[in-house]
Amino acid sequence: LLVSTPRGQVVEAKNLMVVAPEAGPVQVERKNQQRIAYVNGEVETTISEAVKNVQARLSELQVPKDFSVGFGAEVEEQAKAFGQLQLLLILAIVLVYAVMASQYESLRDPFIIMFSIPLAAIGVVLSLKLTNTPFSMQAYIGVIMLAGIVVSNAILLVDYTNTLRRRDNVPLREAVELAGRTRLRPILMTTLTTILGLVPMSLGIGEGAELQAPLARVVIGGLTASTLITLVFVPTMYTLFEEGLAGLRKGAHAHAHATATSESAS
């Protein structure tokens, strides 16, 4: 390589510099106009668990000034996917409520039934804790599935209670109790068949099965907890919504009357 000097002479570049072999990057990569260097690794766990483990060790690194440590595109895509799944969950709940409202031609009964969805969260948390399963995308999909599954038990209870009251003119408390006793067997049958059908998937047996196991475990836990609590909680909410303040006032008047009667007797 020839270089022209200010005096007009042409010399070889090797006469003007010292050339020595050194180690350096083959190419310079940038992101958002900043230089980056990747540290890659194949993990045997889920991405969320791997990120959690790495974050626990980041404090041990002596990061130079003007340097920062971040995670790659897979973690960013997972966060984006979780945001989309959250939107889908909200949309699923809204659609379930809209369908029930159109069928019942009422806004109150579907609202009572929707109380069974938050109850499933108890079983979801317990199932993930007991099985030491991280909350992954597959588990999130299982939560979305639960939004449409767990309401079926409450629908059976509320629908049969309404039938008893309108068709047979059964009083409220008696209709709630009779509906619970009559619909207990079909509720347990549908719940058990769903749970037993997901047990093989929840065990995670076979190659790649551990990726689908969180979905089955979430559905099993959420459905179990929701079923057991719904049998008590939904009839209670139904009675409370039907009687409302009138029932509370009636109970207060009955208590006051009993107190006054006992005082007069004494």
Side-chain angles (χ1 to χ4, degrees):
L1 182 63
L2 301 178
V3 178
S4 298
T5 64
R7 296 182 179 181
Q9 296 177 345
V10 179
V11 297
E12 294 181 355
K14 67 180 182 179
N15 296 326
L16 303 176
M17 62 182 68
V18 177
V19 181
E22 294 287 344
V26 178
Q27 61 181 3
V28 177
E29 298 186 18
R30 288 182 173 85
K31 183 178 182 180
N32 297 330
Q33 298 181 356
Q34 293 182 347
R35 288 190 176 187
I36 61 174
Y38 289 106
V39 178
N40 300 319
E42 295 292 335
V43 296
E44 297 180 354
T45 60
T46 60
I47 296 178
S48 58
E49 186 175 356
V51 171
K52 182 179 178 181
N53 294 334
V54 172
Q55 288 176 338
R57 302 289 299 275
L58 283 180
S59 59
E60 302 176 8
L61 293 178
Q62 300 296 330
V63 182
K65 185 180 179 181
D66 298 331
F67 279 74
S68 62
V69 179
F71 295 94
E74 290 187 9
V75 179
E76 296 176 357
E77 289 297 326
Q78 186 186 51
K80 182 179 178 181
F82 268 67
Q84 294 175 347
L85 290 175
Q86 184 178 6
L87 179 61
L88 292 176
L89 176 60
I90 297 174
L91 182 60
I93 294 175
V94 172
L95 290 177
V96 169
Y97 181 81
V99 170
M100 289 191 297
S102 64
Q103 294 295 321
Y104 279 99
E105 297 181 354
S106 169
L107 298 178
R108 182 189 59 188
D109 289 346
F111 185 73
I112 298 173
I113 294 172
M114 295 300 288
F115 276 101
S116 60
I117 296 180
L119 301 178
I122 301 174
V124 171
V125 175
L126 289 178
S127 64
L128 294 178
K129 280 288 186 180
L130 294 177
T131 58
N132 196 22
T133 304
F135 189 73
S136 59
M137 290 185 59
Q138 296 296 328
Y140 213 136
I141 295 174
V143 173
I144 297 175
M145 293 173 56
L146 283 173
I149 296 175
V150 297
V151 296
S152 59
N153 297 332
I155 289 174
L156 289 175
L157 289 173
V158 173
D159 183 70
Y160 193 65
T161 303
N162 290 336
T163 301
L164 291 174
R165 296 184 63 197
R166 296 169 184 172
R167 184 189 65 188
D168 303 332
N169 295 323
V170 180
L172 173 62
R173 298 296 180 93
E174 185 179 349
V176 169
E177 296 174 0
L178 181 59
R181 291 194 300 267
T182 306
R183 293 303 184 188
L184 177 61
R185 184 176 180 182
I187 287 175
L188 293 179
M189 288 174 61
T190 55
T191 302
L192 288 175
T193 52
T194 305
I195 291 175
L196 293 177
L198 291 172
V199 166
M201 183 187 297
S202 66
L203 298 178
I205 301 175
E207 185 177 356
E210 65 276 2
L211 298 177
Q212 306 298 330
L215 185 150
R217 293 168 185 171
V218 163
V219 174
I220 290 174
L223 188 57
T224 302
S226 177
T227 300
L228 296 178
I229 303 176
T230 296
L231 293 172
V232 178
F233 188 78
V234 170
T236 303
M237 294 303 299
Y238 184 90
T239 305
L240 182 62
F241 271 80
E242 287 291 335
E243 292 186 343
L245 295 177
L248 295 178
R249 293 195 191 99
K250 187 185 297 183
H253 289 323
H255 178 71
H257 179 70
T259 305
T261 303
S262 61
E263 290 178 355
S264 62
S266 61

